[in-house]
Amino acid sequence: MKKVYTYLAVMISLLMSCSSGGDGDGGGPDPGPDPVNTAPTVPSQVYPLSNTLCINNSVVFEWMASTDKEGNPISYRVQISEQSDFSTMAHDVTSSSTSRVITLEKGKAYYWRVRSRDSKGEESAFSGVSNFLTEGDGVSNHLPFAPSLVGPEQDSEVDGTSATLSWTASDVDNDDLTFDVYLDTNSDPVTKVSENQAETTYSATGLTASTTYYFKVVVKDGNGGVTIGQVWSFATK
């Protein structure tokens, strides 16, 4: 009988020893949740900057490197468009370095921007937008850049039955620019409300309440260069 008691005591001791490790995690502290991954910083453009005339249409795009708080590898997304709002793309490419050579059409105005992305998928905001021209063959005068909207904001709503239309425009040749303004309720406005004005604002009055209006600005440089801007819209209350 004594042998039986001894055998039971040994078995109980072994069972207690095997269960002392808990759930098999080594008994160490809980490491807690993984740290939150954050986006890398916004890259800043180096070349080309706004109003640059690129003699070679194979353009070297350059930007400052972003940093990542968690030390994740970073790549970059470069977007190039003929529209200042990037509604259509001429090029949309990625790069693992801080430069990229892209061949563009000659004699055209372009806009570009860049953003960073870490290896875990977090993206920064886009950089600012820069505009530039590629040199054409035998061109002595360059087209002005398409106008950029200042106000009213795209698809915004204005109080009353009047609105001040405002925009900016530039020209690499520094020509004096004039503007034709088109405004009506057609999605592609055809009513010319102002012609050859030098000001970059137009006061629209006598508008109808609760109506959507569309407008565009045509930029002329006085040397035969004409650039038609995109269509913008706003609504009256």
Side-chain angles (χ1 to χ4, degrees):
M1 180 66 74
K2 183 176 181 181
K3 289 182 178 181
V4 173
Y5 288 139
T6 302
Y7 174 77
L8 290 175
V10 170
M11 292 300 295
I12 291 171
S13 175
L14 287 173
L15 289 172
M16 291 179 63
S17 175
C18 289
S19 64
S20 64
D23 58 4
D25 63 359
D30 186 352
D34 292 335
V36 176
N37 184 50
T38 57
T41 59
V42 179
S44 57
Q45 297 164 309
V46 174
Y47 183 86
L49 297 178
S50 283
N51 298 325
T52 297
L53 174 60
C54 300
I55 303 301
N56 192 331
N57 65 311
S58 291
V59 180
V60 181
F61 293 86
E62 299 179 78
W63 54 92
M64 297 294 291
S66 297
T67 58
D68 187 81
K69 184 178 179 181
E70 292 75 35
N72 296 318
I74 295 174
S75 61
Y76 301 92
R77 181 180 180 182
V78 181
Q79 291 188 334
I80 305 166
S81 176
E82 294 181 45
Q83 306 294 330
S84 60
D85 64 351
F86 294 84
S87 54
T88 60
M89 292 293 172
H91 291 272
D92 190 345
V93 299
T94 58
S95 174
S96 58
S97 65
T98 56
S99 66
R100 179 70 183 260
V101 179
I102 300 175
T103 301
L104 305 170
E105 292 186 52
K106 294 182 178 181
K108 284 197 171 185
Y110 290 98
Y111 302 83
W112 80 286
R113 62 187 182 182
V114 59
R115 77 190 312 173
S116 58
R117 176 187 175 96
D118 68 19
S119 58
K120 294 187 177 181
E122 289 292 333
E123 290 184 320
S124 73
F126 274 107
S127 67
V129 176
S130 292
N131 59 319
F132 64 95
L133 284 173
T134 54
E135 179 72 88
D137 293 326
V139 174
S140 59
N141 181 58
H142 303 90
L143 293 177
F145 288 104
S148 297
L149 178 65
V150 175
E153 291 185 7
Q154 176 72 352
D155 297 327
S156 63
E157 192 173 57
V158 300
D159 293 321
T161 56
S162 63
T164 299
L165 314 183
S166 181
W167 61 91
T168 60
S170 59
D171 182 82
V172 73
D173 302 311
N174 293 318
D175 293 328
D176 292 330
L177 303 177
T178 58
F179 309 97
D180 295 345
V181 182
Y182 292 79
L183 170 70
D184 55 39
T185 57
N186 297 309
S187 58
D188 186 6
V190 295
T191 305
K192 186 187 293 185
V193 295
S194 179
E195 185 174 18
N196 294 330
Q197 69 169 63
E199 299 80 14
T200 55
T201 61
Y202 173 80
S203 296
T205 59
L207 304 177
T208 303
S210 302
T211 302
T212 298
Y213 284 89
Y214 302 87
F215 72 100
K216 66 181 178 183
V217 177
V218 177
V219 187
K220 299 181 290 187
D221 65 6
N223 293 308
V226 177
T227 300
I228 301 174
Q230 68 188 84
V231 176
W232 299 308
S233 67
F234 65 92
T236 54
K237 289 186 178 180

